[in-house]
Coordinates of all heavy atoms in Angstrom, one line a residue:
M6 N 35.1 -89.2 40.0 CA 33.8 -89.0 39.4 C 34.0 -88.5 38.0 O 34.9 -87.7 37.7 CB 33.0 -87.9 40.2 CG 31.6 -87.8 39.8 SD 30.5 -86.9 41.0 CE 31.5 -85.9 42.0
K7 N 33.1 -89.0 37.1 CA 33.3 -88.7 35.7 C 32.2 -87.7 35.3 O 31.0 -87.9 35.5 CB 33.1 -90.0 34.9 CG 33.3 -89.8 33.4 CD 33.2 -91.2 32.7 CE 33.4 -91.1 31.2 NZ 33.2 -92.4 30.6
A8 N 32.6 -86.6 34.6 CA 31.7 -85.6 34.2 C 31.0 -86.1 32.9 O 31.6 -86.7 32.0 CB 32.4 -84.3 33.9
T9 N 29.7 -85.8 32.7 CA 29.0 -86.2 31.5 C 28.7 -85.0 30.6 O 28.4 -85.2 29.5 CB 27.6 -86.8 31.9 OG1 26.8 -85.8 32.6 CG2 27.8 -88.0 32.8
G10 N 28.8 -83.8 31.2 CA 28.5 -82.6 30.3 C 27.1 -82.4 30.1 O 26.7 -81.5 29.3
V11 N 26.2 -83.1 30.9 CA 24.8 -83.0 30.7 C 24.2 -82.3 31.9 O 24.6 -82.6 33.0 CB 24.1 -84.4 30.5 CG1 22.6 -84.3 30.5 CG2 24.7 -85.1 29.3
A12 N 23.3 -81.3 31.7 CA 22.6 -80.7 32.8 C 21.1 -80.8 32.6 O 20.6 -80.8 31.5 CB 23.0 -79.2 32.9
R13 N 20.4 -81.0 33.7 CA 18.9 -81.1 33.6 C 18.3 -80.2 34.6 O 18.9 -80.0 35.7 CB 18.5 -82.5 33.9 CG 18.9 -83.5 32.8 CD 18.0 -83.3 31.6 NE 18.2 -84.4 30.6 CZ 18.9 -84.3 29.5 NH1 19.5 -83.3 29.2 NH2 18.9 -85.4 28.7
Q14 N 17.1 -79.7 34.3 CA 16.4 -78.9 35.3 C 15.5 -79.7 36.1 O 14.9 -80.8 35.7 CB 15.5 -77.8 34.6 CG 16.3 -76.7 33.9 CD 15.4 -75.6 33.4 OE1 14.2 -75.8 33.2 NE2 16.0 -74.5 33.1
V15 N 15.3 -79.3 37.4 CA 14.3 -80.0 38.3 C 12.9 -79.5 38.0 O 12.7 -78.3 37.9 CB 14.7 -79.7 39.8 CG1 13.7 -80.3 40.7 CG2 16.1 -80.2 40.1
D16 N 12.0 -80.4 37.8 CA 10.6 -79.9 37.5 C 9.9 -79.5 38.7 O 10.4 -79.7 39.8 CB 9.8 -81.0 36.6 CG 9.3 -82.2 37.4 OD1 9.5 -82.2 38.7 OD2 8.8 -83.1 36.8
P17 N 8.7 -79.0 38.6 CA 8.0 -78.5 39.8 C 7.7 -79.6 40.9 O 7.5 -79.3 42.1 CB 6.6 -78.0 39.3 CG 6.9 -77.6 37.9 CD 8.0 -78.6 37.4
L18 N 7.7 -80.9 40.5 CA 7.5 -82.0 41.4 C 8.9 -82.5 42.0 O 8.9 -83.5 42.7 CB 6.7 -83.1 40.8 CG 5.3 -82.7 40.4 CD1 4.7 -83.9 39.7 CD2 4.5 -82.3 41.6
G19 N 10.0 -81.9 41.6 CA 11.3 -82.3 42.1 C 11.9 -83.4 41.3 O 12.9 -84.0 41.8
R20 N 11.4 -83.7 40.1 CA 12.0 -84.8 39.3 C 13.0 -84.3 38.3 O 13.0 -83.1 37.9 CB 10.8 -85.4 38.5 CG 9.8 -86.0 39.4 CD 8.6 -86.6 38.6 NE 7.9 -85.5 37.9 CZ 6.7 -85.6 37.4 NH1 6.1 -86.7 37.5 NH2 6.2 -84.6 36.8
I21 N 13.9 -85.2 38.0 CA 15.0 -85.0 37.0 C 14.9 -86.2 36.1 O 14.9 -87.3 36.5 CB 16.4 -84.9 37.7 CG1 16.4 -83.7 38.7 CG2 17.5 -84.8 36.6 CD1 17.7 -83.7 39.5
V22 N 15.0 -85.9 34.8 CA 15.0 -87.0 33.8 C 16.5 -87.4 33.5 O 17.3 -86.5 33.2 CB 14.4 -86.6 32.5 CG1 14.5 -87.7 31.4 CG2 12.9 -86.3 32.7
L23 N 16.8 -88.7 33.7 CA 18.2 -89.1 33.4 C 18.3 -89.3 31.9 O 17.4 -90.0 31.3 CB 18.5 -90.4 34.1 CG 18.4 -90.4 35.6 CD1 18.6 -91.8 36.2 CD2 19.4 -89.5 36.2
P24 N 19.3 -88.8 31.2 CA 19.4 -89.0 29.8 C 19.5 -90.4 29.4 O 20.0 -91.3 30.1 CB 20.8 -88.3 29.5 CG 21.1 -87.4 30.6 CD 20.4 -88.1 31.8
M25 N 18.8 -90.7 28.2 CA 18.7 -92.1 27.7 C 20.1 -92.8 27.6 O 20.3 -93.9 27.9 CB 18.0 -92.1 26.3 CG 17.8 -93.5 25.8 SD 17.1 -93.7 24.1 CE 16.0 -92.3 24.0
E26 N 21.1 -92.0 27.1 CA 22.4 -92.6 26.9 C 23.0 -93.1 28.2 O 23.6 -94.1 28.3 CB 23.4 -91.6 26.3 CG 23.0 -91.1 24.9 CD 21.9 -90.0 24.9 OE1 21.7 -89.4 26.0 OE2 21.2 -89.8 23.9
L27 N 22.8 -92.3 29.3 CA 23.3 -92.6 30.6 C 22.5 -93.9 31.2 O 23.1 -94.8 31.7 CB 23.1 -91.4 31.6 CG 23.6 -91.6 33.0 CD1 25.1 -91.8 32.9 CD2 23.3 -90.3 33.8
R28 N 21.2 -93.9 31.0 CA 20.4 -95.1 31.4 C 20.9 -96.3 30.7 O 21.0 -97.4 31.3 CB 18.9 -94.8 31.2 CG 18.4 -93.7 32.0 CD 16.9 -93.6 32.0 NE 16.3 -93.8 30.7 CZ 15.8 -92.8 30.0 NH1 15.9 -91.5 30.4 NH2 15.3 -93.0 28.8
K29 N 21.1 -96.2 29.4 CA 21.6 -97.4 28.6 C 23.0 -97.9 29.1 O 23.2 -99.1 29.3 CB 21.6 -97.1 27.1 CG 20.3 -97.1 26.5 CD 20.5 -96.8 25.0 CE 19.1 -96.8 24.3 NZ 19.2 -96.5 22.8
T30 N 23.9 -96.9 29.3 CA 25.2 -97.2 29.7 C 25.2 -97.9 31.1 O 26.0 -98.9 31.3 CB 26.1 -96.0 29.8 OG1 26.1 -95.4 28.5 CG2 27.5 -96.3 30.3
L31 N 24.4 -97.5 32.0 CA 24.4 -98.0 33.3 C 23.3 -99.2 33.5 O 23.2 -99.7 34.6 CB 24.1 -96.9 34.3 CG 25.2 -95.8 34.4 CD1 24.8 -94.7 35.3 CD2 26.5 -96.4 34.8
G32 N 22.6 -99.5 32.5 CA 21.6 -100.6 32.6 C 20.4 -100.2 33.4 O 19.9 -101.1 34.1
I33 N 20.0 -99.0 33.4 CA 18.9 -98.5 34.2 C 17.6 -98.6 33.3 O 17.6 -98.0 32.3 CB 19.1 -97.1 34.7 CG1 20.3 -97.1 35.7 CG2 17.8 -96.6 35.5 CD1 20.7 -95.7 36.0
R34 N 16.7 -99.4 33.8 CA 15.4 -99.6 33.0 C 14.2 -99.0 33.8 O 14.3 -98.7 35.0 CB 15.2 -101.1 32.8 CG 16.3 -101.8 32.0 CD 16.0 -103.2 31.9 NE 15.6 -103.8 33.2 CZ 16.2 -104.8 33.8 NH1 17.2 -105.5 33.2 NH2 15.8 -105.3 35.0
P35 N 13.1 -98.8 33.1 CA 11.9 -98.3 33.8 C 11.6 -99.2 35.0 O 11.7 -100.4 34.9 CB 10.8 -98.3 32.7 CG 11.6 -98.2 31.4 CD 12.9 -98.9 31.7
K36 N 11.2 -98.6 36.1 CA 10.8 -99.3 37.3 C 12.0 -99.8 38.1 O 11.8 -100.4 39.2 CB 9.9 -100.5 37.0 CG 8.7 -100.2 36.2 CD 7.7 -99.5 37.1 CE 6.4 -99.3 36.2 NZ 5.4 -98.6 36.9
D37 N 13.3 -99.6 37.7 CA 14.4 -100.0 38.5 C 14.5 -99.0 39.7 O 14.2 -97.9 39.6 CB 15.7 -99.8 37.7 CG 16.0 -101.0 36.8 OD1 15.4 -102.0 36.9 OD2 17.0 -100.9 36.0
G38 N 14.9 -99.6 40.8 CA 15.1 -98.8 42.0 C 16.4 -98.0 41.9 O 17.4 -98.5 41.3
M39 N 16.4 -96.8 42.6 CA 17.6 -96.0 42.6 C 17.8 -95.7 44.1 O 16.9 -95.3 44.8 CB 17.4 -94.7 41.8 CG 17.2 -94.9 40.3 SD 18.6 -95.6 39.5 CE 19.8 -94.4 39.6
E40 N 19.1 -95.8 44.5 CA 19.5 -95.4 45.9 C 20.0 -93.9 45.8 O 20.6 -93.5 44.8 CB 20.6 -96.2 46.4 CG 20.2 -97.7 46.7 CD 21.3 -98.5 47.3 OE1 22.2 -98.9 46.5 OE2 21.3 -98.7 48.5
I41 N 19.7 -93.2 46.8 CA 20.0 -91.8 46.9 C 20.9 -91.5 48.1 O 20.5 -91.9 49.2 CB 18.8 -90.9 46.9 CG1 17.9 -91.2 45.8 CG2 19.2 -89.4 47.0 CD1 16.5 -90.5 45.9
F42 N 22.1 -91.0 47.9 CA 23.0 -90.7 48.9 C 23.4 -89.2 48.9 O 23.2 -88.6 47.8 CB 24.4 -91.5 48.8 CG 24.2 -92.9 48.7 CD1 24.0 -93.6 47.5 CD2 24.2 -93.7 49.9 CE1 23.8 -95.0 47.4 CE2 24.0 -95.1 49.8 CZ 23.9 -95.7 48.6
T43 N 23.9 -88.7 50.0 CA 24.5 -87.3 49.9 C 25.9 -87.4 50.4 O 26.3 -88.2 51.2 CB 23.7 -86.3 50.9 OG1 23.7 -86.8 52.2 CG2 22.2 -86.2 50.4
D44 N 26.7 -86.5 49.9 CA 28.1 -86.3 50.3 C 28.4 -84.9 50.3 O 28.7 -84.3 49.2 CB 29.0 -87.1 49.3 CG 30.5 -87.0 49.7 OD1 30.8 -86.6 50.8 OD2 31.3 -87.3 48.8
G45 N 28.3 -84.3 51.4 CA 28.4 -82.8 51.5 C 27.3 -82.2 50.7 O 26.1 -82.4 51.0
D46 N 27.6 -81.4 49.7 CA 26.6 -80.7 48.9 C 26.3 -81.5 47.6 O 25.7 -80.9 46.7 CB 27.0 -79.3 48.6 CG 28.3 -79.2 47.7 OD1 29.0 -80.3 47.6 OD2 28.6 -78.2 47.2
R47 N 26.7 -82.7 47.6 CA 26.4 -83.6 46.4 C 25.3 -84.6 46.6 O 25.2 -85.1 47.7 CB 27.7 -84.3 46.0 CG 28.8 -83.4 45.6 CD 30.1 -84.3 45.4 NE 31.2 -83.4 45.3 CZ 32.1 -83.6 44.3 NH1 32.1 -84.6 43.5 NH2 33.1 -82.7 44.2
I48 N 24.6 -84.8 45.6 CA 23.6 -85.9 45.6 C 24.1 -87.0 44.7 O 24.4 -86.7 43.5 CB 22.2 -85.4 45.1 CG1 21.7 -84.3 46.0 CG2 21.2 -86.5 45.0 CD1 20.4 -83.6 45.5
I49 N 24.1 -88.2 45.2 CA 24.6 -89.3 44.4 C 23.5 -90.3 44.2 O 22.8 -90.7 45.1 CB 25.8 -90.0 45.2 CG1 26.9 -89.0 45.4 CG2 26.3 -91.2 44.4 CD1 27.9 -89.4 46.4
L50 N 23.3 -90.7 42.9 CA 22.3 -91.7 42.6 C 23.0 -93.0 42.2 O 24.0 -92.9 41.5 CB 21.5 -91.2 41.4 CG 20.6 -90.0 41.6 CD1 19.9 -89.6 40.3 CD2 19.6 -90.2 42.6
R51 N 22.5 -94.1 42.6 CA 23.1 -95.4 42.3 C 21.9 -96.4 42.0 O 21.0 -96.4 42.8 CB 24.0 -95.9 43.4 CG 24.7 -97.2 43.0 CD 25.7 -97.6 44.0 NE 25.1 -97.9 45.3 CZ 25.8 -98.2 46.4 NH1 27.1 -98.2 46.4 NH2 25.2 -98.5 47.5
K52 N 22.1 -97.2 41.0 CA 21.1 -98.2 40.7 C 21.0 -99.1 41.9 O 22.1 -99.6 42.4 CB 21.4 -99.0 39.4 CG 20.4 -100.0 39.1 CD 20.8 -100.7 37.8 CE 19.8 -101.8 37.5 NZ 20.2 -102.5 36.2
Y53 N 19.8 -99.4 42.4 CA 19.7 -100.2 43.6 C 20.0 -101.7 43.3 O 19.5 -102.2 42.3 CB 18.3 -100.1 44.2 CG 18.0 -101.1 45.3 CD1 18.6 -100.9 46.6 CD2 17.3 -102.2 45.1 CE1 18.4 -101.7 47.6 CE2 17.1 -103.1 46.2 CZ 17.7 -102.9 47.4 OH 17.5 -103.8 48.4
E54 N 20.8 -102.3 44.0 CA 21.1 -103.7 43.9 C 21.0 -104.3 45.3 O 21.5 -103.8 46.3 CB 22.5 -104.0 43.3 CG 22.6 -103.5 41.9 CD 24.0 -103.8 41.3 OE1 24.6 -104.7 41.8 OE2 24.4 -103.0 40.4
R55 N 20.3 -105.4 45.4 CA 20.2 -106.1 46.7 C 21.6 -106.4 47.2 O 22.4 -107.0 46.5 CB 19.4 -107.4 46.6 CG 17.9 -107.1 46.3 CD 17.0 -108.3 46.1 NE 17.5 -109.5 46.7 CZ 16.9 -110.7 46.6 NH1 15.8 -110.7 46.0 NH2 17.4 -111.8 47.1
G56 N 21.8 -106.1 48.5 CA 23.1 -106.4 49.1 C 22.9 -107.4 50.3 O 21.9 -107.8 50.6
C57 N 24.1 -107.6 50.9 CA 24.1 -108.6 52.0 C 23.2 -108.1 53.1 O 23.2 -106.9 53.5 CB 25.6 -108.6 52.5 SG 25.8 -109.7 53.9
I58 N 22.5 -109.0 53.7 CA 21.6 -108.6 54.8 C 22.3 -108.2 56.1 O 21.8 -107.5 56.9 CB 20.6 -109.7 55.2 CG1 21.3 -111.0 55.6 CG2 19.7 -110.0 54.0 CD1 20.4 -112.0 56.3
F59 N 23.6 -108.6 56.2 CA 24.4 -108.3 57.4 C 25.2 -107.0 57.3 O 25.2 -106.2 58.2 CB 25.3 -109.4 57.8 CG 24.6 -110.7 58.1 CD1 24.6 -111.8 57.2 CD2 23.8 -110.8 59.2 CE1 24.0 -112.9 57.5 CE2 23.1 -112.0 59.5 CZ 23.2 -113.0 58.6
C60 N 25.8 -106.8 56.1 CA 26.8 -105.6 56.0 C 26.4 -104.7 54.8 O 27.1 -103.7 54.6 CB 28.2 -106.1 55.9 SG 28.5 -107.0 54.3
A61 N 25.4 -105.1 54.0 CA 25.0 -104.3 52.8 C 25.9 -104.3 51.6 O 25.7 -103.7 50.6 CB 24.7 -102.9 53.2
E62 N 27.0 -105.1 51.7 CA 27.9 -105.3 50.6 C 27.1 -105.8 49.4 O 26.3 -106.7 49.5 CB 29.0 -106.3 50.9 CG 30.0 -106.6 49.8 CD 30.8 -105.4 49.3 OE1 31.3 -104.7 50.1 OE2 30.8 -105.3 48.0
A63 N 27.4 -105.2 48.2 CA 26.6 -105.6 47.0 C 27.4 -106.5 46.0 O 26.7 -107.0 45.1 CB 26.1 -104.3 46.3
E64 N 28.7 -106.7 46.2 CA 29.4 -107.5 45.2 C 29.5 -108.9 45.7 O 29.7 -109.2 46.8 CB 30.8 -106.9 45.1 CG 30.9 -105.6 44.4 CD 32.3 -105.2 44.0 OE1 33.1 -106.1 43.7 OE2 32.5 -104.0 44.0
D65 N 29.3 -109.8 44.7 CA 29.5 -111.3 44.9 C 28.5 -111.9 45.9 O 28.8 -112.8 46.6 CB 30.9 -111.6 45.3 CG 31.9 -111.3 44.2 OD1 31.6 -111.4 43.1 OD2 33.1 -110.9 44.6
V66 N 27.4 -111.2 46.1 CA 26.4 -111.8 47.0 C 25.7 -113.0 46.4 O 25.5 -113.0 45.2 CB 25.3 -110.7 47.5 CG1 26.0 -109.6 48.3 CG2 24.6 -110.1 46.3
Q67 N 25.4 -113.9 47.3 CA 24.6 -115.1 46.8 C 23.4 -115.3 47.7 O 23.4 -114.9 48.9 CB 25.5 -116.4 47.0 CG 26.7 -116.4 46.0 CD 27.5 -117.6 46.1 OE1 27.4 -118.4 47.1 NE2 28.3 -117.9 45.1
E68 N 22.4 -115.8 47.1 CA 21.1 -116.0 47.8 C 21.2 -117.3 48.7 O 21.7 -118.4 48.2 CB 20.0 -116.1 46.9 CG 18.6 -116.1 47.6 CD 17.5 -116.0 46.6 OE1 17.7 -115.6 45.5 OE2 16.3 -116.3 47.1
F69 N 20.8 -117.3 49.9 CA 20.7 -118.4 50.8 C 19.4 -118.3 51.5 O 19.1 -117.4 52.3 CB 21.8 -118.5 51.8 CG 21.8 -119.6 52.7 CD1 22.0 -120.9 52.3 CD2 21.4 -119.4 54.0 CE1 21.9 -122.0 53.2 CE2 21.3 -120.5 54.9 CZ 21.6 -121.8 54.5
R70 N 18.5 -119.2 51.2 CA 17.1 -119.3 51.9 C 16.4 -117.9 51.7 O 15.8 -117.4 52.7 CB 17.2 -119.7 53.3 CG 17.7 -121.1 53.5 CD 17.6 -121.6 54.9 NE 18.1 -123.0 54.9 CZ 18.2 -123.6 56.0 NH1 18.0 -123.1 57.2 NH2 18.7 -124.9 56.0
G71 N 16.5 -117.3 50.5 CA 15.8 -116.1 50.3 C 16.5 -114.8 50.7 O 16.0 -113.7 50.6
K72 N 17.7 -114.9 51.3 CA 18.5 -113.8 51.8 C 19.8 -113.7 51.1 O 20.4 -114.7 50.8 CB 18.8 -113.9 53.3 CG 17.5 -114.2 54.2 CD 16.6 -113.0 54.1 CE 15.4 -113.3 55.1 NZ 14.3 -112.4 54.9
M73 N 20.2 -112.5 50.8 CA 21.5 -112.3 50.1 C 22.6 -112.1 51.1 O 22.5 -111.4 52.1 CB 21.4 -111.0 49.2 CG 20.3 -111.0 48.2 SD 20.3 -112.5 47.1 CE 21.6 -112.0 46.0
I74 N 23.7 -112.9 50.9 CA 24.8 -112.9 51.9 C 26.2 -112.8 51.1 O 26.4 -113.5 50.1 CB 24.9 -114.1 52.7 CG1 23.5 -114.3 53.4 CG2 26.0 -114.1 53.8 CD1 23.4 -115.6 54.2
C75 N 27.1 -111.9 51.5 CA 28.4 -111.7 50.9 C 29.4 -112.8 51.3 O 29.1 -113.4 52.3 CB 28.9 -110.3 51.1 SG 29.5 -110.1 52.8
P76 N 30.5 -112.9 50.6 CA 31.5 -113.9 50.9 C 32.0 -113.8 52.4 O 32.2 -114.8 53.1 CB 32.6 -113.7 49.9 CG 31.9 -113.1 48.7 CD 30.8 -112.2 49.3
A77 N 32.3 -112.5 52.8 CA 32.9 -112.3 54.1 C 32.0 -112.8 55.2 O 32.3 -113.4 56.2 CB 33.3 -110.9 54.3
C78 N 30.7 -112.4 55.1 CA 29.7 -112.8 56.1 C 29.4 -114.3 56.0 O 29.2 -114.9 57.1 CB 28.4 -112.0 55.9 SG 28.6 -110.3 56.3
R79 N 29.5 -114.9 54.8 CA 29.3 -116.4 54.7 C 30.4 -117.1 55.5 O 30.2 -118.0 56.2 CB 29.3 -116.8 53.3 CG 28.0 -116.6 52.5 CD 27.9 -117.4 51.2 NE 29.1 -117.1 50.3 CZ 29.1 -116.2 49.4 NH1 28.1 -115.4 49.2 NH2 30.1 -116.0 48.6
E80 N 31.7 -116.6 55.3 CA 32.8 -117.2 56.0 C 32.7 -117.0 57.5 O 32.9 -118.0 58.3 CB 34.1 -116.5 55.6 CG 34.6 -116.9 54.2 CD 35.9 -116.2 53.8 OE1 36.6 -115.8 54.6 OE2 36.1 -116.1 52.5
E81 N 32.3 -115.8 58.0 CA 32.1 -115.6 59.4 C 31.0 -116.5 60.0 O 31.2 -117.1 61.0 CB 31.7 -114.1 59.7 CG 31.7 -113.8 61.1 CD 31.5 -112.3 61.4 OE1 31.6 -111.5 60.4 OE2 31.1 -112.0 62.5
L82 N 29.9 -116.7 59.2 CA 28.8 -117.6 59.7 C 29.3 -119.0 59.8 O 29.0 -119.7 60.7 CB 27.6 -117.5 58.7 CG 26.8 -116.2 58.9 CD1 25.8 -116.1 57.7 CD2 26.1 -116.1 60.2
A83 N 30.1 -119.4 58.8 CA 30.6 -120.8 58.7 C 31.5 -121.0 59.9 O 31.5 -122.1 60.6 CB 31.3 -121.1 57.4
A84 N 32.4 -120.1 60.2 CA 33.3 -120.2 61.3 C 32.6 -120.3 62.6 O 32.9 -121.1 63.5 CB 34.3 -119.0 61.3
K85 N 31.5 -119.5 62.8 CA 30.8 -119.5 64.1 C 30.0 -120.8 64.2 O 29.8 -121.3 65.3 CB 29.8 -118.3 64.1 CG 30.6 -117.0 64.4 CD 29.7 -115.8 64.5 CE 30.5 -114.6 64.6 NZ 30.6 -114.0 65.9
A86 N 29.5 -121.3 63.0 CA 28.8 -122.6 63.0 C 29.7 -123.7 63.5 O 29.3 -124.6 64.2 CB 28.2 -122.9 61.7
H87 N 30.9 -123.7 63.0 CA 31.9 -124.8 63.4 C 32.2 -124.7 64.9 O 32.4 -125.7 65.6 CB 33.2 -124.7 62.6 CG 32.9 -125.1 61.1 ND1 32.4 -126.3 60.8 CD2 33.1 -124.4 60.0 CE1 32.3 -126.4 59.5 NE2 32.7 -125.3 59.0
V88 N 32.3 -123.5 65.4 CA 32.6 -123.3 66.9 C 31.5 -123.9 67.7 O 31.7 -124.5 68.7 CB 32.8 -121.8 67.2 CG1 32.9 -121.6 68.7 CG2 34.1 -121.3 66.5
G89 N 30.2 -123.7 67.3 CA 29.1 -124.1 68.0 C 28.8 -125.6 67.9 O 28.0 -126.2 68.7
V90 N 29.5 -126.3 67.0 CA 29.3 -127.7 66.8 C 29.9 -128.6 67.9 O 29.5 -129.7 68.2 CB 29.8 -128.2 65.4 CG1 29.8 -129.7 65.2 CG2 29.0 -127.5 64.3
R91 N 31.0 -128.1 68.5 CA 31.7 -128.9 69.6 C 30.9 -129.4 70.6 O 30.1 -129.4 71.3 CB 32.8 -128.0 70.2 CG 33.8 -127.6 69.2 CD 34.9 -126.8 69.8 NE 35.8 -126.3 68.8 CZ 36.8 -125.5 69.1 NH1 37.0 -125.0 70.2 NH2 37.6 -125.2 68.1

């Protein structure tokens, strides 16, 4: 994890403003979705990216009939399709 040296206060509604430099660096724009995770006593924010419908993997996903599918799941589906063809 990389330290930014930036601290922000939580407002009365529980909001935190992400610094402009951080938003620019990570490509976060107004209306972008953010995923929220916890790891022990840490809160982790990540820009939401559509992932594979089967395993949630977010890298190298491709759209097929409106659904996002990763390479590993595409291979598994193809293998099962070939087995069912016999």
